Amino acid sequence: DAGVIQSPRHEVTEMGQEVTLRCKPISGHNSLFWYRQTMMRGLELLIYFNNNVPIDDSGMPEDRFSAKMPNASFSTLKIQPSEPRDSAVYFCASRTSEPNEQFFGPGTRLTVL
Amino acid sequence: AQSVAQPEDQVNVAEGNPLTVKCTYSVSGNPYLFWYVQYPNRGLQFLLKYITGDNLVKGSYGFEAEFNKSQTSFHLKKPSALVSDSALYFCAVRDNTGKLIFGQGTTLQVKP
């Protein structure tokens, strides 16, 4: 299995631009998680889906952030408009049923200038 | 509220010596506990978990962790540290909605 796949691996953009991060979970996994990691705030859960349905989006910072999971094999995290404080590494993770562990992707390093 | 604490920002140990990375938790009900490791510029990798059963859990790369209910702790241990174990380690507990609550992480530095 290829593991969780994220694209792009690196993204540099200018303030105000739209950014879309993509994730392909491991086949057969039915839960998907989006995290953000920064030095200041550590690892934060943004949103998670179960069977393609958003279960908890309480970690989404503000309306500029949105996430979708149109099918079991694809999810996007969109930031519009982006701001410099959004600069971070964004991770996607997937899992089968509980209480199994989550498998993390390699992350997308986002830099907003 | 559920929470996880990793009281040490960094742990330094000499190669060949035993290592311990500390974790304490607060959760209602029976805890599900996890340890992950993160190498530079990589995603988190699962090491081990405690769900139920034996309090001593064995995981990847020779790591183990001991669940202590009375002390609400789940410390990560390894009998003999390797330089290649140097990384960032995260403890996590499942909350009652199914999410993982992660600690702030502990940097392990193993010196030759």
Side-chain angles (χ1 to χ4, degrees):
Chain A
D1 199 317
V4 175
I5 298 173
Q6 291 188 246
S7 65
R9 293 293 311 275
H10 301 273
E11 176 83 24
V12 180
T13 190
E14 292 188 346
M15 183 174 62
Q17 296 298 306
E18 177 179 295
V19 174
T20 300
L21 311 181
R22 297 173 175 79
C23 175
K24 177 178 170 55
I26 293 173
S27 177
H29 285 194
N30 55 14
S31 294
L32 183 140
F33 304 80
W34 281 102
Y35 292 89
R36 177 171 69 176
Q37 186 177 35
T38 60
M39 290 291 290
M40 292 296 295
R41 299 173 70 93
L43 193 63
E44 305 172 276
L45 176 67
L46 301 177
I47 185 171
Y48 88 92
F49 296 84
N50 205 34
N51 294 320
N52 312 338
V53 176
I55 302 300
D56 186 339
D57 65 355
S58 59
M60 295 286 263
E62 48 198 274
D63 293 345
R64 298 185 297 107
F65 285 68
S66 62
K68 294 182 179 179
M69 192 164 187
N71 57 61
S73 59
F74 185 64
S75 177
T76 59
L77 178 67
K78 186 176 291 186
I79 308 173
Q80 166 63 17
S82 58
E83 297 182 2
R85 60 193 169 121
D86 301 330
S87 297
V89 181
Y90 291 80
F91 290 104
C92 176
S94 69
R95 181 193 73 197
T96 55
S97 57
E98 291 201 271
N100 294 310
E101 61 273 18
Q102 297 178 21
F103 290 82
F104 282 72
T108 295
R109 182 174 296 276
L110 173 65
T111 302
V112 183
L113 303 174
Chain B
Q2 295 91 352
S3 65
V4 173
Q6 294 181 242
E8 302 152 317
D9 288 337
Q10 181 158 327
V11 170
N12 298 309
V13 64
E15 187 173 33
N17 283 1
L19 69 88
T20 299
V21 183
K22 295 180 180 177
C23 172
T24 59
Y25 66 89
S26 174
V27 65
S28 56
N30 294 322
Y32 293 170
L33 295 156
F34 301 80
W35 275 102
Y36 285 81
V37 61
Q38 185 179 27
Y39 297 100
N41 301 312
R42 306 285 287 274
L44 279 68
Q45 295 178 33
F46 169 75
L47 279 178
L48 51 80
K49 66 184 176 187
Y50 172 82
I51 304 302
T52 186
D54 194 347
N55 289 345
L56 185 63
V57 179
K58 294 189 183 297
S60 307
Y61 312 121
F63 283 93
E64 57 189 28
E66 186 166 14
F67 170 65
N68 187 316
K69 188 172 183 177
S70 63
Q71 297 186 4
T72 61
S73 67
F74 189 56
H75 300 332
L76 181 70
K77 300 182 179 184
K78 187 173 182 180
S80 179
L82 300 173
V83 173
S84 58
D85 293 329
S86 298
L88 182 59
Y89 290 81
F90 290 96
C91 180
V93 65
R94 174 199 178 275
D95 75 2
N96 55 16
T97 69
K99 300 182 300 191
L100 287 185
I101 308 298
F102 284 88
Q104 283 298 103
T106 297
T107 298
L108 174 65
Q109 193 76 255
V110 181
K111 301 198 173 176

